[in-house]
Amino acid sequence: MSIRNLDDLLAEGVSGRRVLVRADLNVPLDKQSGAIADDGRIRAVLPTLTALTGAGAKVVVFSHLGRPKGAPDPQFSLRPVAARLGELLDAQVRFAEDTVGDSARSTVDALADGEVALLENLRFNKGETSKDDAERGAFADQLAALGEAYVDDAFGAVHRKHASVFDVPARLPHVAGRLVLREVEVLAKLAGEPARPYVVVLGGSKVSDKLAVIEALLPKVDRLLIGGGMCFTFLKAQGHEVGTSLLEKEMVETCRNLLERSEGKIMLPVDVVVADAFAPDAAHDTVRADAIPSHRLGLDIGPETVAGFAAALAPAKTIFWNGPMGVFEMPAFANGTRGVAEAITSADAFSVVGGGDSAAAVRALGLDETSFGHISTGGGASLEYLEGKTLPGIAALED
């Protein structure tokens, strides 16, 4: 794979040039206040932005946030992101109230060398996510007209065939930003010949969301530890009662087949924390994984499972973790995720956190981010890369 990177663009000189930066600023917002709940994705793009501004570029940042329906929606505005980005850069960030309209053009035209502008949410335009090549291309033409070079630093979006990710780089000189380059280097290491033992920890809600990556990883890993809501479908496949726990009935036979083919690599919980209801203050206790009461639901892995998973992780030299072990947002059901995360950091291994809820859990639980080898910004993109899929945004950067 041959991809030009930010250093190549900087070597050519960017002073006075308008450089478009596709960032992933899709941060979680507090539903009540609208404040940014986790600015991790904003911080992740700072190395690329500061390199460009330091070299005198006129930097035009664009991103999506949430899933608006192709029209302006105030609850998905990037305005609060512009304010936070300005704080982190310790500089004014000009904000355009549209993406390719009068405000965008005048905002970009007003940029001085070394200044930054942020355009409004890309998904306020139907062309961004359109499956029609002509409609998507027309929007890409308008975006490309705002810049003279393109930098993709939005790893969390590279698995999408969207205008800003796939079509704009075809219209401008294009390179990978610091973040995208690092993500690809790390995942290539996992997909190639990782140091062994290679242990993967998967959690999250649904087996169906992780089936393709399980299929791709099973032949490559030494152990596959499964927790989170998805473990109950595997427990059901073993013939156990799972009560009112999350269950994908249509996936039970698939899980049974995976267990038969896994050659003992798959490790499931031996105890779980069950509750009377899905609520932070629900009555709860720990039971054997094969003795879940019919009227209760599992919301976390139990302490014996944490100990077993930790023992499996201890000798690992490479670890990939994607998906929480329980409902970590509720303190009563966060111990499994915390325990496994701490076991990962204790191992003498190169560890990769596969973005999404796993990365959010690291920050929400106050864990030391620097104790992990790499924390990805793209959960879905990370999984699709490891599945062996072609990622449109990466393919668009290849020469």
Side-chain angles (χ1 to χ4, degrees), residues 201-202 223-228 231-232 235 267-273 286-290 292 300-313 325-326 335-337 339-341 343:
V201 184
L202 292 181
R223 298 303 297 272
L224 176 58
L225 318 182
I226 294 180
C231 78
F232 298 105
L235 292 172
M267 190 171 178
L268 297 174
V270 294
D271 62 342
V272 295
V273 180
T286 302
V287 301
R288 299 285 305 171
D290 58 1
I292 299 173
D300 196 11
I301 60 173
E304 191 176 334
T305 299
V306 172
F309 282 10
L313 288 161
M325 298 293 98
N335 291 332
T337 301
V340 168

Side-chain angles (χ1 to χ4, degrees), residues 164-224:
S164 64
V165 175
F166 182 75
D167 300 277
V168 174
R171 290 157 169 77
L172 292 172
H174 49 269
V175 301
R178 298 263 194 264
L179 174 64
V180 164
L181 188 65
R182 172 64 175 160
E183 296 271 15
V184 171
E185 288 174 347
V186 166
L187 292 172
K189 185 183 293 189
L190 295 184
E193 294 294 332
R196 296 188 176 279
Y198 178 22
V199 181
V200 170
V201 184
L202 292 181
S205 302
K206 297 181 178 180
V207 178
S208 53
D209 290 342
K210 306 283 172 72
L211 179 61
V213 78
I214 292 173
E215 293 274 12
L217 288 174
L218 258 184
K220 300 179 180 180
V221 303
D222 296 292
R223 298 303 297 272
L224 176 58

Side-chain angles (χ1 to χ4, degrees), residues 38 201-204 210 320-325 328-329 337 341 344 352-365 367 369 372 375-376 379 383:
D38 179 356
V201 184
L202 292 181
K210 306 283 172 72
F320 175 70
W321 169 34
N322 180 276
M325 298 293 98
F328 71 91
E329 299 90 345
T337 301
I344 291 171
V352 179
V353 181
D357 286 342
S358 313
V362 168
R363 289 187 281 269
L365 296 175
L367 302 172
E369 295 183 48
F372 297 91
I375 299 180
S376 178
L383 293 179

Side-chain angles (χ1 to χ4, degrees), residues 233 237 248-258 260:
T233 303
E248 290 183 280
K249 293 181 179 178
E250 70 280 4
M251 297 297 296
V252 171
E253 187 58 37
T254 298
C255 289
R256 186 177 293 119
N257 181 263
L258 285 170
E260 290 173 353

Side-chain angles (χ1 to χ4, degrees), residues 30 33 62 128 178 212 308 330 390:
D30 183 88
S33 67
F62 50 107
E128 167 65 1
R178 298 263 194 264
M330 301 178 186
T390 297

Side-chain angles (χ1 to χ4, degrees), residues 67-364:
R67 296 187 177 184
K69 307 298 183 182
D73 185 337
Q75 69 175 315
F76 295 116
S77 174
L78 280 166
R79 185 178 290 278
V81 174
R84 181 58 180 150
L85 182 58
E87 291 173 356
L88 292 171
L89 288 171
D90 193 24
Q92 178 191 14
V93 171
R94 299 176 183 271
F95 182 67
E97 296 182 352
D98 55 29
T99 307
V100 292
D102 292 341
S103 179
R105 288 190 292 271
S106 62
T107 300
V108 172
D109 287 344
L111 283 175
D113 294 0
E115 288 191 338
V116 178
L118 175 63
L119 308 184
E120 186 53 286
N121 195 332
L122 287 162
R123 292 186 183 176
F124 287 178
N125 303 266
K126 290 182 179 179
E128 167 65 1
T129 59
S130 176
K131 290 183 169 48
D132 180 86
D133 290 348
E135 184 177 21
R136 209 177 56 247
F139 181 52
D141 287 339
Q142 292 177 289
L143 284 172
L146 297 171
E148 300 163 78
Y150 171 90
V151 179
D152 190 344
D153 218 28
F155 184 74
V158 295
H159 59 315
R160 307 294 188 193
K161 191 177 180 180
H162 291 171
S164 64
V165 175
F166 182 75
D167 300 277
V168 174
R171 290 157 169 77
L172 292 172
H174 49 269
V175 301
R178 298 263 194 264
L179 174 64
V180 164
L181 188 65
R182 172 64 175 160
E183 296 271 15
V184 171
E185 288 174 347
V186 166
L187 292 172
K189 185 183 293 189
L190 295 184
E193 294 294 332
R196 296 188 176 279
Y198 178 22
V199 181
V200 170
V201 184
L202 292 181
S205 302
K206 297 181 178 180
V207 178
S208 53
D209 290 342
K210 306 283 172 72
L211 179 61
V213 78
I214 292 173
E215 293 274 12
L217 288 174
L218 258 184
K220 300 179 180 180
V221 303
D222 296 292
R223 298 303 297 272
L224 176 58
L225 318 182
I226 294 180
M230 62 189 290
C231 78
F232 298 105
T233 303
F234 278 93
L235 292 172
K236 188 70 172 179
Q238 290 183 320
H240 302 317
E241 169 67 58
V242 297
T244 58
S245 306
L246 189 62
L247 175 67
E248 290 183 280
K249 293 181 179 178
E250 70 280 4
M251 297 297 296
V252 171
E253 187 58 37
T254 298
C255 289
R256 186 177 293 119
N257 181 263
L258 285 170
L259 289 168
E260 290 173 353
R261 292 192 288 114
S262 72
E263 299 176 345
K265 290 180 179 180
I266 294 178
M267 190 171 178
L268 297 174
V270 294
D271 62 342
V272 295
V273 180
V274 296
D276 292 340
F278 187 87
D281 58 351
H284 60 277
D285 52 41
T286 302
V287 301
R288 299 285 305 171
D290 58 1
I292 299 173
S294 61
H295 63 287
R296 308 188 84 186
L297 73 162
L299 295 180
D300 196 11
I301 60 173
E304 191 176 334
T305 299
V306 172
F309 282 10
L313 288 161
K317 292 301 179 185
T318 305
I319 299 171
F320 175 70
W321 169 34
N322 180 276
M325 298 293 98
V327 187
F328 71 91
E329 299 90 345
M330 301 178 186
F333 311 111
N335 291 332
T337 301
R338 181 187 299 278
V340 168
E342 290 174 346
I344 291 171
T345 62
S346 296
D348 182 19
F350 176 65
S351 58
V352 179
V353 181
D357 286 342
S358 313
V362 168
R363 289 187 281 269

Side-chain angles (χ1 to χ4, degrees), residues 378-394:
S382 297
L383 293 179
E384 290 196 17
Y385 189 101
L386 293 178
E387 289 166 22
K389 290 185 177 179
T390 297
L391 306 184
I394 300 300

